[in-house]
Amino acid sequence: MRLVTSIYTIEDIENMHDYIDYALVAVPHLSVYYKDIDVKKAVDLLNKYNKNIILNINRIMHPSDIEKVISVYKEYLNTNILFYISDLGALNEAIKLGIENRIIYNPETMITNYLDFNEYSSLGVLSCGVSSEITLNDLKLIYEKTNKSIFYQVFGRRLMFYSRRHLISLYETKNNDKYPHVDAYLKESTRQDYLPINENEECTVIYRSYNINLIDKLNELSFIDFAYLETAFLDNNSKNIVAKAYFDAIKNNGNLNELSDLLNNLGLEYQDGFFYKDSVYQKEELKNV
C-alpha cells in the first residue's frame, strides 16, 4: 500500500517530509483546491528529500485549459513524476503523449462498480480512483472482479460538490455584502453541519462536514494500492500528527488501535460515511391535491 498525502504549501513539505511516501502537490489554477505554491520549488524540495511526486491537476477542464495541462505534462515528460487527474480530455492528452501509465484517474464519485472501473483501467492508466460513496463490500467487489490498482481516500474531508460557477461571488452580489472566499464554511438554515467551501478563480468546491478516518480499518483495505490523506482544513499540528500516524501504520506496521486512539484525541469529527452502510434514496410520497 502506497501512502499519498496532499501538499498545498512549501511549509507542508518542510513539516511532513519525514512522513511522506507520495506527495500529491496541488498545482495552482489546475486543481480544484489549491494554495499559492511554487510547483518547481516544491518538486525540487521533494526530490531533495527523495520523495515520490504526483502533480494534482484534477479540475474539470474547459477546452481553453487543455494547453496548460499539456504544458505541465511536457515539462515533466522525462521524469518519473505521476499526474492525478479527473478530466477525460486531460487523460486523452496523456494517451497522445504516451504517458497514460503515469496517470491516476479519479473522477471522484463516478466510478462505483467494477464495470466502470474496468473500462477506465483498460485505457492503460496506472490507477483509478473509486468513489467514497460506496460501501466496503462494493469496493472489495471491484478489486475481486478487476484485480487492478485502486486509489482510495482514507482520511480527511471528502469533496461533495464542484461547480465552475463562482457561488460565493454570486451570493455577495445578491445580498450586496462581502464574504470570505477561501477556507470558509457554509451552514444551511435547517441543519447544524458546517460545510467547508472554497471559491477560487476557476471554481467553487464544497466538502463534507466531517472527516473520514479509516486508520483502524487499514487491514480490511490491504488490497488498496494508493491510500489517500486529504489534509485540507487541518491546522499544521494536526497535519503532522495525521501524516505520521498513517505513515507509521502503512510503512512501519504500527499498532492500528493505538494510532486510532492518537487521532481520536485531535478533537476532529469523524464519520464512516458510506463505508458500511449504503446510501438510500426514498421517493417523496405523492399527495392528492
Side-chain angles (χ1 to χ4, degrees):
M1 184 182 287
R2 292 179 267 191
L3 179 63
V4 179
T5 304
S6 62
I7 296 295
Y8 296 105
T9 65
I10 295 298
E11 186 179 14
D12 285 346
I13 301 172
E14 295 285 15
N15 289 342
M16 295 190 291
H17 65 84
D18 285 336
Y19 319 123
I20 290 175
D21 186 13
Y22 282 73
L24 181 63
V25 181
V27 178
H29 307 293
L30 290 179
S31 53
V32 298
Y33 178 91
Y34 59 84
K35 302 287 188 180
D36 185 18
I37 186 172
D38 184 326
V39 175
K40 290 183 179 179
K41 183 177 179 181
V43 168
D44 288 343
L45 191 57
L46 287 164
N47 281 329
K48 171 188 170 184
Y49 289 126
N50 196 30
K51 302 299 177 181
N52 299 294
I53 303 169
I54 309 170
L55 294 185
N56 182 350
I57 48 176
N58 70 329
R59 260 203 317 115
I60 302 301
M61 303 298 172
H62 188 273
S64 61
D65 297 320
I66 290 298
E67 286 302 321
K68 298 174 188 175
V69 174
I70 295 172
S71 294
V72 173
Y73 287 157
K74 288 184 175 179
E75 184 171 359
Y76 298 100
L77 196 62
N78 297 317
T79 69
N80 59 358
I81 289 176
L82 307 178
F83 304 97
Y84 177 77
I85 67 173
S86 298
D87 185 80
L88 277 175
L91 176 54
N92 186 54
E93 295 302 329
I95 292 171
K96 289 180 182 177
L97 290 170
I99 58 170
E100 63 270 24
N101 61 341
R102 289 164 55 188
I103 295 293
I104 298 173
Y105 178 66
N106 183 16
E108 297 296 343
T109 59
M110 299 300 292
I111 299 179
T112 60
N113 59 76
Y114 70 87
L115 295 172
D116 287 344
F117 186 90
N118 201 51
E119 191 68 24
Y120 289 115
S121 294
S122 69
L123 297 174
V125 298
L126 174 64
S127 186
C128 279
V130 173
S131 171
S132 297
E133 311 291 305
I134 65 173
T135 64
L136 173 62
N137 286 337
D138 290 335
L139 183 64
K140 287 180 176 178
L141 182 62
I142 289 174
Y143 179 72
E144 290 167 3
K145 291 286 188 177
T146 65
N147 196 30
K148 293 180 179 178
S149 175
I150 294 175
F151 179 101
Y152 188 72
Q153 185 176 341
V154 295
F155 185 90
R157 306 270 188 166
R158 284 173 170 163
L159 181 66
M160 63 174 286
F161 175 88
Y162 171 94
S163 175
R164 285 180 58 85
R165 297 180 179 89
H166 296 95
L167 299 183
I168 298 177
S169 296
L170 289 170
Y171 194 66
E172 286 177 331
T173 300
K174 180 181 183 299
N175 284 7
N176 192 27
D177 203 352
K178 289 291 183 182
Y179 306 100
H181 289 202
V182 178
D183 294 348
Y185 288 85
L186 179 71
K187 183 180 182 299
E188 296 182 69
S189 59
T190 58
R191 300 185 183 185
Q192 297 304 311
D193 296 339
Y194 286 84
L195 306 172
I197 182 172
N198 195 87
E199 179 190 304
N200 53 42
E201 294 178 31
E202 297 79 25
C203 63
T204 303
V205 290
I206 302 175
Y207 290 78
R208 292 204 176 274
S209 60
Y210 57 85
N211 295 278
I212 57 161
N213 177 24
L214 304 180
I215 196 164
D216 59 344
K217 302 173 179 65
L218 289 178
N219 287 335
E220 296 180 81
L221 295 169
S222 59
F223 57 91
I224 296 297
D225 193 6
F226 291 95
Y228 175 48
L229 303 183
E230 175 55 80
T231 64
F233 311 107
L234 296 178
D235 59 49
N236 287 337
N237 181 59
S238 296
K239 284 183 183 181
N240 294 343
I241 293 172
V242 169
K244 184 179 187 304
Y246 271 88
F247 190 87
D248 286 344
I250 292 174
K251 310 308 292 186
N252 297 328
N253 198 30
N255 185 294
L256 298 186
N257 290 327
E258 291 178 3
L259 293 171
S260 179
D261 290 341
L262 176 66
L263 295 187
N264 287 336
N265 290 332
L266 289 178
L268 300 173
E269 181 184 356
Y270 300 128
Q271 292 185 27
D272 287 337
F274 302 102
F275 194 70
Y276 290 118
K277 186 177 180 180
D278 209 348
S279 54
V280 177
Y281 297 97
Q282 294 179 333
K283 293 182 180 180
E284 292 186 13
E285 187 177 327
L286 293 177
K287 296 179 181 179
N288 294 324
V289 179

